[in-house]
Short mmCIF file of all heavy atoms in Angstrom, two decimals:
data_model
loop_
_atom_site.label_atom_id
_atom_site.label_comp_id
_atom_site.label_asym_id
_atom_site.label_seq_id
_atom_site.Cartn_x
_atom_site.Cartn_y
_atom_site.Cartn_z
N ASP A 1 20.66 80.55 4.69
CA ASP A 1 21.19 79.31 4.14
C ASP A 1 20.26 78.12 4.35
O ASP A 1 20.55 77.02 3.87
CB ASP A 1 22.55 78.98 4.78
CG ASP A 1 23.61 80.00 4.42
OD1 ASP A 1 23.52 80.58 3.32
OD2 ASP A 1 24.52 80.23 5.24
N ARG A 2 19.16 78.34 5.06
CA ARG A 2 18.27 77.24 5.36
C ARG A 2 17.31 76.97 4.20
O ARG A 2 16.90 77.87 3.47
CB ARG A 2 17.47 77.51 6.64
CG ARG A 2 18.37 77.64 7.87
CD ARG A 2 17.54 77.83 9.12
NE ARG A 2 16.70 76.68 9.34
CZ ARG A 2 15.54 76.73 10.00
NH1 ARG A 2 15.10 77.88 10.48
NH2 ARG A 2 14.83 75.64 10.18
N ALA A 3 16.94 75.69 4.05
CA ALA A 3 16.05 75.29 2.96
C ALA A 3 15.03 74.27 3.47
O ALA A 3 15.15 73.75 4.58
CB ALA A 3 16.86 74.70 1.80
N GLY A 4 14.04 74.01 2.65
CA GLY A 4 12.96 73.12 3.05
C GLY A 4 13.32 71.65 3.04
O GLY A 4 12.51 70.82 3.47
N ASP A 5 14.51 71.31 2.56
CA ASP A 5 14.92 69.90 2.52
C ASP A 5 16.22 69.67 3.28
O ASP A 5 16.97 68.75 2.99
CB ASP A 5 15.05 69.41 1.08
CG ASP A 5 16.05 70.21 0.26
OD1 ASP A 5 16.59 71.22 0.79
OD2 ASP A 5 16.31 69.85 -0.90
N ASP A 6 16.52 70.52 4.28
CA ASP A 6 17.79 70.44 5.01
C ASP A 6 17.95 69.14 5.79
O ASP A 6 19.06 68.63 5.94
CB ASP A 6 17.92 71.60 5.99
CG ASP A 6 18.37 72.89 5.31
OD1 ASP A 6 18.95 72.81 4.21
OD2 ASP A 6 18.14 73.97 5.88
N VAL A 7 16.86 68.62 6.34
CA VAL A 7 16.94 67.46 7.24
C VAL A 7 16.24 66.27 6.62
O VAL A 7 15.06 66.36 6.26
CB VAL A 7 16.32 67.78 8.61
CG1 VAL A 7 16.46 66.58 9.55
CG2 VAL A 7 16.94 69.02 9.23
N GLN A 8 16.94 65.14 6.53
CA GLN A 8 16.31 63.88 6.13
C GLN A 8 16.36 62.92 7.31
O GLN A 8 17.44 62.59 7.80
CB GLN A 8 17.00 63.25 4.93
CG GLN A 8 16.28 61.99 4.43
CD GLN A 8 16.90 61.38 3.18
OE1 GLN A 8 17.49 60.31 3.24
NE2 GLN A 8 16.75 62.05 2.04
N LEU A 9 15.19 62.52 7.78
CA LEU A 9 15.09 61.55 8.86
C LEU A 9 14.40 60.29 8.35
O LEU A 9 13.43 60.36 7.59
CB LEU A 9 14.29 62.11 10.05
CG LEU A 9 14.95 63.20 10.90
CD1 LEU A 9 14.07 63.53 12.09
CD2 LEU A 9 16.33 62.78 11.38
N ALA A 10 14.93 59.16 8.79
CA ALA A 10 14.37 57.86 8.42
C ALA A 10 13.90 57.15 9.68
O ALA A 10 14.65 57.04 10.65
CB ALA A 10 15.42 57.02 7.70
N HIS A 11 12.66 56.68 9.66
CA HIS A 11 12.09 55.98 10.82
C HIS A 11 11.93 54.50 10.45
O HIS A 11 11.10 54.14 9.62
CB HIS A 11 10.73 56.59 11.18
CG HIS A 11 10.23 56.18 12.51
ND1 HIS A 11 9.56 57.04 13.36
CD2 HIS A 11 10.28 54.99 13.18
CE1 HIS A 11 9.24 56.40 14.48
NE2 HIS A 11 9.66 55.16 14.37
N PHE A 12 12.76 53.68 11.06
CA PHE A 12 12.75 52.24 10.82
C PHE A 12 11.98 51.52 11.91
O PHE A 12 11.99 51.95 13.08
CB PHE A 12 14.18 51.67 10.86
CG PHE A 12 15.11 52.21 9.82
CD1 PHE A 12 15.75 53.44 9.98
CD2 PHE A 12 15.41 51.48 8.68
CE1 PHE A 12 16.64 53.92 9.04
CE2 PHE A 12 16.30 51.95 7.73
CZ PHE A 12 16.92 53.19 7.91
N ASP A 13 11.32 50.43 11.55
CA ASP A 13 10.90 49.49 12.58
C ASP A 13 10.97 48.06 12.06
O ASP A 13 11.15 47.83 10.86
CB ASP A 13 9.54 49.83 13.20
CG ASP A 13 8.35 49.45 12.34
OD1 ASP A 13 8.51 48.94 11.22
OD2 ASP A 13 7.21 49.68 12.78
N VAL A 14 10.89 47.12 12.99
CA VAL A 14 11.06 45.71 12.67
C VAL A 14 9.73 45.15 12.16
O VAL A 14 8.67 45.40 12.75
CB VAL A 14 11.52 44.92 13.91
CG1 VAL A 14 11.63 43.42 13.59
CG2 VAL A 14 12.86 45.46 14.40
N ASN A 15 9.78 44.41 11.09
CA ASN A 15 8.57 43.79 10.56
C ASN A 15 7.99 42.78 11.54
O ASN A 15 8.68 41.83 11.94
CB ASN A 15 8.85 43.09 9.23
CG ASN A 15 9.13 44.08 8.10
OD1 ASN A 15 8.81 45.26 8.21
ND2 ASN A 15 9.73 43.59 7.03
N ASP A 16 6.74 43.01 11.95
CA ASP A 16 6.02 42.09 12.84
C ASP A 16 6.84 41.72 14.07
O ASP A 16 6.96 40.54 14.44
CB ASP A 16 5.62 40.81 12.08
CG ASP A 16 4.61 39.97 12.86
OD1 ASP A 16 3.92 40.52 13.73
OD2 ASP A 16 4.57 38.75 12.61
N ALA A 17 7.37 42.73 14.74
CA ALA A 17 8.16 42.48 15.95
C ALA A 17 7.33 41.80 17.03
O ALA A 17 7.82 40.93 17.75
CB ALA A 17 8.74 43.78 16.48
N THR A 18 6.05 42.19 17.13
CA THR A 18 5.19 41.59 18.15
C THR A 18 4.99 40.10 17.88
O THR A 18 5.14 39.26 18.78
CB THR A 18 3.83 42.31 18.19
OG1 THR A 18 4.04 43.69 18.48
CG2 THR A 18 2.94 41.70 19.27
N GLY A 19 4.65 39.77 16.64
CA GLY A 19 4.40 38.37 16.31
C GLY A 19 5.64 37.50 16.32
O GLY A 19 5.59 36.33 16.72
N LYS A 20 6.77 38.07 15.89
CA LYS A 20 8.00 37.28 15.81
C LYS A 20 8.73 37.18 17.14
O LYS A 20 9.37 36.16 17.43
CB LYS A 20 8.94 37.89 14.78
CG LYS A 20 8.47 37.77 13.34
CD LYS A 20 9.48 38.42 12.41
CE LYS A 20 9.06 38.29 10.96
NZ LYS A 20 10.01 38.99 10.05
N TYR A 21 8.69 38.26 17.93
CA TYR A 21 9.53 38.32 19.13
C TYR A 21 8.73 38.54 20.42
O TYR A 21 8.77 37.71 21.33
CB TYR A 21 10.57 39.45 18.97
CG TYR A 21 11.36 39.35 17.69
CD1 TYR A 21 11.37 40.40 16.77
CD2 TYR A 21 12.10 38.22 17.37
CE1 TYR A 21 12.10 40.32 15.59
CE2 TYR A 21 12.82 38.12 16.20
CZ TYR A 21 12.81 39.18 15.31
OH TYR A 21 13.53 39.08 14.14
N THR A 22 8.00 39.64 20.52
CA THR A 22 7.36 40.03 21.78
C THR A 22 6.42 38.96 22.30
O THR A 22 6.42 38.65 23.51
CB THR A 22 6.61 41.36 21.60
OG1 THR A 22 7.49 42.33 21.05
CG2 THR A 22 6.08 41.85 22.95
N ASP A 23 5.59 38.40 21.43
CA ASP A 23 4.59 37.41 21.86
C ASP A 23 5.11 35.97 21.83
O ASP A 23 4.37 35.05 22.18
CB ASP A 23 3.33 37.50 20.98
CG ASP A 23 2.53 38.77 21.25
OD1 ASP A 23 2.80 39.43 22.27
OD2 ASP A 23 1.64 39.09 20.44
N ARG A 24 6.35 35.76 21.42
CA ARG A 24 6.86 34.40 21.29
C ARG A 24 8.11 34.12 22.12
O ARG A 24 8.41 32.98 22.43
CB ARG A 24 7.18 34.10 19.81
CG ARG A 24 5.97 34.17 18.89
CD ARG A 24 6.33 33.79 17.48
NE ARG A 24 6.84 32.42 17.39
CZ ARG A 24 7.33 31.88 16.27
NH1 ARG A 24 7.41 32.62 15.17
NH2 ARG A 24 7.76 30.65 16.26
N MET A 25 8.85 35.17 22.47
CA MET A 25 10.11 35.00 23.18
C MET A 25 10.05 35.74 24.51
O MET A 25 9.21 36.62 24.70
CB MET A 25 11.28 35.56 22.34
CG MET A 25 11.38 34.95 20.96
SD MET A 25 12.56 35.85 19.88
CE MET A 25 14.10 35.49 20.70
N ASN A 26 10.92 35.36 25.44
CA ASN A 26 10.96 36.13 26.68
C ASN A 26 11.50 37.53 26.38
O ASN A 26 12.13 37.78 25.35
CB ASN A 26 11.79 35.42 27.76
CG ASN A 26 13.27 35.40 27.46
OD1 ASN A 26 13.93 36.43 27.43
ND2 ASN A 26 13.82 34.19 27.24
N ALA A 27 11.24 38.45 27.30
CA ALA A 27 11.51 39.86 27.04
C ALA A 27 12.99 40.13 26.77
O ALA A 27 13.33 40.98 25.93
CB ALA A 27 11.03 40.70 28.22
N TYR A 28 13.86 39.40 27.45
CA TYR A 28 15.28 39.67 27.27
C TYR A 28 15.76 39.20 25.90
O TYR A 28 16.52 39.91 25.22
CB TYR A 28 16.10 39.01 28.38
CG TYR A 28 17.53 39.47 28.40
CD1 TYR A 28 17.87 40.73 28.90
CD2 TYR A 28 18.55 38.67 27.90
CE1 TYR A 28 19.18 41.17 28.91
CE2 TYR A 28 19.87 39.11 27.90
CZ TYR A 28 20.18 40.35 28.41
OH TYR A 28 21.47 40.78 28.40
N ASP A 29 15.34 37.99 25.48
CA ASP A 29 15.75 37.50 24.17
C ASP A 29 15.16 38.34 23.04
O ASP A 29 15.80 38.54 22.01
CB ASP A 29 15.35 36.04 24.01
CG ASP A 29 16.18 35.12 24.89
OD1 ASP A 29 17.29 35.52 25.29
OD2 ASP A 29 15.72 34.00 25.20
N SER A 30 13.94 38.86 23.25
CA SER A 30 13.36 39.78 22.28
C SER A 30 14.21 41.03 22.15
O SER A 30 14.48 41.53 21.05
CB SER A 30 11.94 40.17 22.69
OG SER A 30 11.08 39.07 22.69
N PHE A 31 14.63 41.53 23.30
CA PHE A 31 15.49 42.72 23.33
C PHE A 31 16.79 42.47 22.57
O PHE A 31 17.25 43.32 21.80
CB PHE A 31 15.76 43.08 24.79
CG PHE A 31 16.75 44.18 24.99
CD1 PHE A 31 16.50 45.47 24.55
CD2 PHE A 31 17.95 43.94 25.65
CE1 PHE A 31 17.41 46.49 24.74
CE2 PHE A 31 18.87 44.95 25.85
CZ PHE A 31 18.61 46.23 25.40
N ILE A 32 17.39 41.31 22.75
CA ILE A 32 18.63 40.98 22.05
C ILE A 32 18.42 41.02 20.54
O ILE A 32 19.23 41.57 19.79
CB ILE A 32 19.16 39.60 22.49
CG1 ILE A 32 19.69 39.66 23.93
CG2 ILE A 32 20.27 39.12 21.54
CD1 ILE A 32 20.08 38.31 24.49
N ARG A 33 17.32 40.43 20.08
CA ARG A 33 17.07 40.39 18.63
C ARG A 33 16.89 41.80 18.07
O ARG A 33 17.44 42.14 17.02
CB ARG A 33 15.82 39.55 18.35
CG ARG A 33 15.98 38.09 18.69
CD ARG A 33 16.99 37.43 17.78
NE ARG A 33 16.51 37.35 16.40
CZ ARG A 33 17.30 37.23 15.33
NH1 ARG A 33 18.62 37.21 15.49
NH2 ARG A 33 16.79 37.15 14.12
N ILE A 34 16.11 42.62 18.77
CA ILE A 34 15.90 43.99 18.30
C ILE A 34 17.23 44.75 18.30
O ILE A 34 17.56 45.48 17.35
CB ILE A 34 14.88 44.72 19.19
CG1 ILE A 34 13.51 44.01 19.15
CG2 ILE A 34 14.74 46.18 18.75
CD1 ILE A 34 12.86 43.94 17.81
N GLU A 35 18.02 44.57 19.36
CA GLU A 35 19.29 45.28 19.46
C GLU A 35 20.28 44.82 18.38
O GLU A 35 21.08 45.62 17.89
CB GLU A 35 19.91 45.06 20.85
CG GLU A 35 19.22 45.85 21.94
CD GLU A 35 19.46 47.35 21.80
OE1 GLU A 35 20.61 47.79 21.94
OE2 GLU A 35 18.49 48.07 21.53
N GLN A 36 20.23 43.54 18.00
CA GLN A 36 21.10 43.07 16.92
C GLN A 36 20.78 43.81 15.62
O GLN A 36 21.68 44.22 14.88
CB GLN A 36 20.93 41.57 16.72
CG GLN A 36 21.61 40.72 17.79
CD GLN A 36 21.37 39.24 17.57
OE1 GLN A 36 20.27 38.82 17.18
NE2 GLN A 36 22.39 38.44 17.82
N GLY A 37 19.49 43.96 15.34
CA GLY A 37 19.09 44.69 14.14
C GLY A 37 19.52 46.13 14.19
O GLY A 37 20.04 46.69 13.22
N TYR A 38 19.31 46.76 15.35
CA TYR A 38 19.70 48.16 15.52
C TYR A 38 21.21 48.34 15.36
O TYR A 38 21.67 49.23 14.65
CB TYR A 38 19.23 48.66 16.89
CG TYR A 38 19.98 49.86 17.41
CD1 TYR A 38 20.10 51.03 16.64
CD2 TYR A 38 20.57 49.85 18.66
CE1 TYR A 38 20.78 52.13 17.11
CE2 TYR A 38 21.25 50.94 19.14
CZ TYR A 38 21.36 52.08 18.36
OH TYR A 38 22.05 53.16 18.84
N ALA A 39 21.98 47.49 16.04
CA ALA A 39 23.43 47.64 16.01
C ALA A 39 23.98 47.49 14.59
O ALA A 39 24.88 48.25 14.18
CB ALA A 39 24.09 46.62 16.94
N GLU A 40 23.45 46.53 13.85
CA GLU A 40 23.95 46.33 12.49
C GLU A 40 23.54 47.49 11.58
O GLU A 40 24.34 47.95 10.74
CB GLU A 40 23.44 45.01 11.92
CG GLU A 40 24.16 44.55 10.68
CD GLU A 40 25.67 44.43 10.89
OE1 GLU A 40 26.10 43.90 11.94
OE2 GLU A 40 26.43 44.88 10.00
N LEU A 41 22.31 47.97 11.75
CA LEU A 41 21.88 49.12 10.96
C LEU A 41 22.73 50.35 11.30
O LEU A 41 23.15 51.09 10.40
CB LEU A 41 20.40 49.41 11.22
CG LEU A 41 19.83 50.62 10.47
CD1 LEU A 41 19.81 50.38 8.97
CD2 LEU A 41 18.43 50.95 10.98
N MET A 42 22.98 50.56 12.58
CA MET A 42 23.78 51.69 13.02
C MET A 42 25.16 51.65 12.38
O MET A 42 25.64 52.66 11.84
CB MET A 42 23.89 51.68 14.55
CG MET A 42 24.78 52.74 15.14
SD MET A 42 24.76 52.72 16.96
CE MET A 42 25.52 51.12 17.28
N ARG A 43 25.80 50.49 12.43
CA ARG A 43 27.14 50.37 11.86
C ARG A 43 27.13 50.59 10.34
O ARG A 43 27.98 51.31 9.80
CB ARG A 43 27.73 48.98 12.17
CG ARG A 43 28.27 48.82 13.58
CD ARG A 43 29.06 47.54 13.71
NE ARG A 43 28.21 46.37 13.62
CZ ARG A 43 27.70 45.74 14.68
NH1 ARG A 43 27.95 46.18 15.89
NH2 ARG A 43 26.94 44.68 14.52
N TYR A 44 26.16 49.97 9.67
CA TYR A 44 26.17 50.00 8.22
C TYR A 44 25.81 51.38 7.68
O TYR A 44 26.45 51.87 6.72
CB TYR A 44 25.21 48.95 7.66
CG TYR A 44 25.39 48.75 6.16
CD1 TYR A 44 26.52 48.12 5.66
CD2 TYR A 44 24.45 49.23 5.27
CE1 TYR A 44 26.70 47.96 4.29
CE2 TYR A 44 24.61 49.08 3.90
CZ TYR A 44 25.74 48.44 3.42
OH TYR A 44 25.92 48.28 2.06
#
């Protein structure tokens, strides 16, 4: 029953996370922003 298209995986990342968050905000606030994006994507 197995086929060559059984699994579809999507790899997301944040556009310019380093420039927007990592290099501009403290580590905790950067984490919050990334987690907000993840949580909303997860729900949707």
Side-chain angles (χ1 to χ4, degrees):
D1 295 330
R2 297 183 62 207
D5 58 355
D6 280 339
V7 182
Q8 185 177 110
L9 288 185
H11 194 141
F12 298 81
D13 78 359
V14 177
N15 289 343
D16 192 22
T18 301
K20 291 180 179 177
Y21 308 122
T22 307
D23 289 347
R24 298 184 61 186
M25 304 169 67
N26 70 65
Y28 191 76
D29 289 338
S30 296
F31 173 64
I32 290 174
R33 294 293 292 157
I34 299 299
E35 286 292 294
Q36 284 178 322
Y38 158 54
E40 194 56 43
L41 179 66
M42 176 176 66
R43 282 191 292 265
Y44 192 72

